[in-house]
């Protein structure tokens, strides 16, 4: 797993450090000993960060020629047009099968290359409108934390790059590996919600000892039960309307979306770690039938449960 990470004059150290930390931790924990990260600049010359530090141990763009993953962690806030050679690097890497990741404003040079034309992408909410105006061929979502098309991934602002990098670890090595990395760097293995919760106002702290918190904990332990909003509201002794409002304040999601996400997460882990049949997993996770389970799984992960299991079993 060779990873090429782009750096440029004026980028912040945090943006550069994020993929280096997450992917480097994979190797340090022995989860993927062959994961190798290299930082490159267009001319192969040192660059100076926004904080004034010189980043000198860098390679030239040739390291992207055989990289499995090419990462653009950020971009200039002025949305300066990428150079022709850099755009060609993205296209060539994509064409030969490498995964392309544009994190935060790094989505801009990736989208400029054309590999996202006709598809959706996400970038920092503060720049989404300007980026969308410059690139009408791409549909920019100003709420998602990250969007993964399999071959191209983009993420929202700053810290959501951590979510996106962990997602890459999860898709390559499984949920257990992503959880191990997340535990080591002390962040959530999978953060729910979207960046809308950060745009409008801070997420409210949940009363985990109150009826809402107890209902959430009960739901997590009983995914095979009836978790319709009416049933959850009744368990929390709240009206449906008040429960739905408070639930979204706490989780960033509607009850239905949250339940589906939890069921899919549970199903994914069972596919990775057990030999249970698809029917048994569907029942255990609360899906009405194997057909419903498959439909929701394909919609979420663009692959069938059987194909997903085969991919991780072979590893």
């Amino acid at each position: 797993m060779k990873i090429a990470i782009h750096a440029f004059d004026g980028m912040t150290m945090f943006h550069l450090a994020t993929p280096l930390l997450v992917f480097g931790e994979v190797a340090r924990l022995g989860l993927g000993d062959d994961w190798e990260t290299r930082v490159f600049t267009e001319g192969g010359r040192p660059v100076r960060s926004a904080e004034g530090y010189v980043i000198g141990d860098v390679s030239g763009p040739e390291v992207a020629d055989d990289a499995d993953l090419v990462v653009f962690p950020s971009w200039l806030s002025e949305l300066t047009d990428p150079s022709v050679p850099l755009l060609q690097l993205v296209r060539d890497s994509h064409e030969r099968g490498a995964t392309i990741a544009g994190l935060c404003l790094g989505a801009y040079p990736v989208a400029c290359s054309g590999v996202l034309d006709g598809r959706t992408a996400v970038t920092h909410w503060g720049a989404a409108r300007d980026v969308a105006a410059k690139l009408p061929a791409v549909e920019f979502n100003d709420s998602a934390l990250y969007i993964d098309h399999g071959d191209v991934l983009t993420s929202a602002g700053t810290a959501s790059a951590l979510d996106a990098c962990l997602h890459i670890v999860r898709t390559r090595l499984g949920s257990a590996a992503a959880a191990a990395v997340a535990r080591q760097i002390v962040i959530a293995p999978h953060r729910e919600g979207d960046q809308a919760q950060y745009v409008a106002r801070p997420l409210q702290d949940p009363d985990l000892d109150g009826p809402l918190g107890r209902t959430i904990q009960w739901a997590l332990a009983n995914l095979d039960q009836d978790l319709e909003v009416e049933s959850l509201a009744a368990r929390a002794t709240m009206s449906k309307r008040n429960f739905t409002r408070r639930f979204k304040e706490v989780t960033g999601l509607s009850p239905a979306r949250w339940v589906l996400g939890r069921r899919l997460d549970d199903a994914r882990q069972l596919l990775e770690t057990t030999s249970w049949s698809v029917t048994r997993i569907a029942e255990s996770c609360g899906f009405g039938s194997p057909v419903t389970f498959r439909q929701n799984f394909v919609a979420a992960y663009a692959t069938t449960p059987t194909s997903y299991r085969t991919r991780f079993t072979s590893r």
Side-chain angles (χ1 to χ4, degrees):
M1 179 69 172
K2 299 183 68 174
I3 304 167
I5 303 170
H6 177 252
F8 59 89
D9 275 315
M11 76 181 307
T12 68
M13 294 296 292
F14 181 92
H15 285 108
L16 179 60
T18 294
L20 288 171
L21 172 66
V22 175
F23 301 138
E25 206 63 46
V26 170
R28 287 187 286 273
L29 292 174
L31 302 169
D33 294 333
D34 55 347
W35 281 45
E36 174 191 358
T37 57
R38 297 290 299 275
V39 176
F40 75 93
T41 61
E42 282 198 67
R45 295 182 295 273
V47 293
R48 185 178 294 276
S49 74
E51 297 83 2
Y53 300 111
V54 174
I55 304 166
D57 188 11
V58 298
S59 302
E62 67 278 357
V63 300
D65 292 346
D66 60 349
D68 303 291
L69 172 64
V70 181
V71 182
F72 293 84
S74 185
W75 194 247
L76 296 163
S77 59
E78 298 84 0
L79 299 181
T80 303
D81 289 338
S83 68
V84 172
L86 191 65
L87 294 176
Q88 193 60 48
L89 180 150
V90 177
R91 298 187 194 104
D92 291 345
S93 298
H94 180 259
E95 186 174 348
R96 63 174 176 77
T99 299
I100 310 297
L103 311 178
C104 194
L105 289 183
Y108 181 69
V110 172
C112 284
S113 72
V115 299
L116 281 167
D117 285 1
R119 298 200 277 182
T120 56
V122 63
T123 188
H124 192 287
W125 64 268
R129 181 175 298 180
D130 291 339
V131 172
K134 292 171 74 72
L135 298 168
V138 182
E139 180 185 347
F140 277 91
N141 182 323
D142 62 359
S143 63
L145 289 177
Y146 57 83
I147 295 176
D148 183 11
H149 292 286
D151 55 333
V152 184
L153 176 147
T154 53
S155 79
T158 317
S160 61
L162 287 165
D163 299 291
C165 290
L166 275 178
H167 170 74
I168 291 171
V169 174
R170 188 181 301 111
T171 57
R172 299 270 179 164
L173 299 175
S175 297
V181 173
R183 189 180 306 113
Q184 187 68 17
I185 61 179
V186 199
I187 62 172
H190 182 72
R191 187 157 55 111
E192 286 297 343
D194 53 33
Q195 58 176 326
Q197 60 186 291
Y198 306 103
V199 176
R201 53 181 171 73
L203 190 64
Q204 294 186 15
D205 292 331
D207 178 10
L208 293 180
D209 293 327
L212 179 60
R214 288 194 294 271
T215 299
I216 289 174
Q217 295 303 318
W218 178 86
L220 286 170
N222 295 275
L223 291 173
D224 60 335
Q225 299 297 310
D226 175 15
L227 300 182
E228 295 294 326
V229 64
E230 293 84 359
S231 299
L232 293 173
R235 176 169 286 274
T237 62
M238 300 169 67
S239 69
K240 177 181 174 182
R241 180 177 180 181
N242 189 40
F243 177 83
T244 301
R245 178 183 62 80
R246 287 287 295 126
F247 193 96
K248 191 164 187 179
E249 288 174 352
V250 167
T251 68
L253 295 170
S254 69
R257 282 188 60 192
W258 182 87
V259 168
L260 177 60
R262 300 289 61 72
R263 284 173 167 163
L264 287 170
D265 278 348
D266 203 46
R268 188 170 55 189
Q269 293 187 41
L270 289 172
L271 287 167
E272 295 173 13
T273 59
T274 74
S275 58
W276 289 7
S277 68
V278 168
T279 298
R280 183 179 177 184
I281 291 175
E283 292 174 352
S284 174
C285 296
F287 291 97
S289 69
V291 173
T292 301
F293 171 43
R294 289 189 184 95
Q295 290 173 340
N296 281 283
F297 198 91
V298 170
Y301 305 120
T303 188
T304 65
T306 301
S307 296
Y308 184 90
R309 165 175 275 165
T310 301
R311 177 150 53 101
F312 286 102
T313 301
S314 66
R315 288 175 180 155

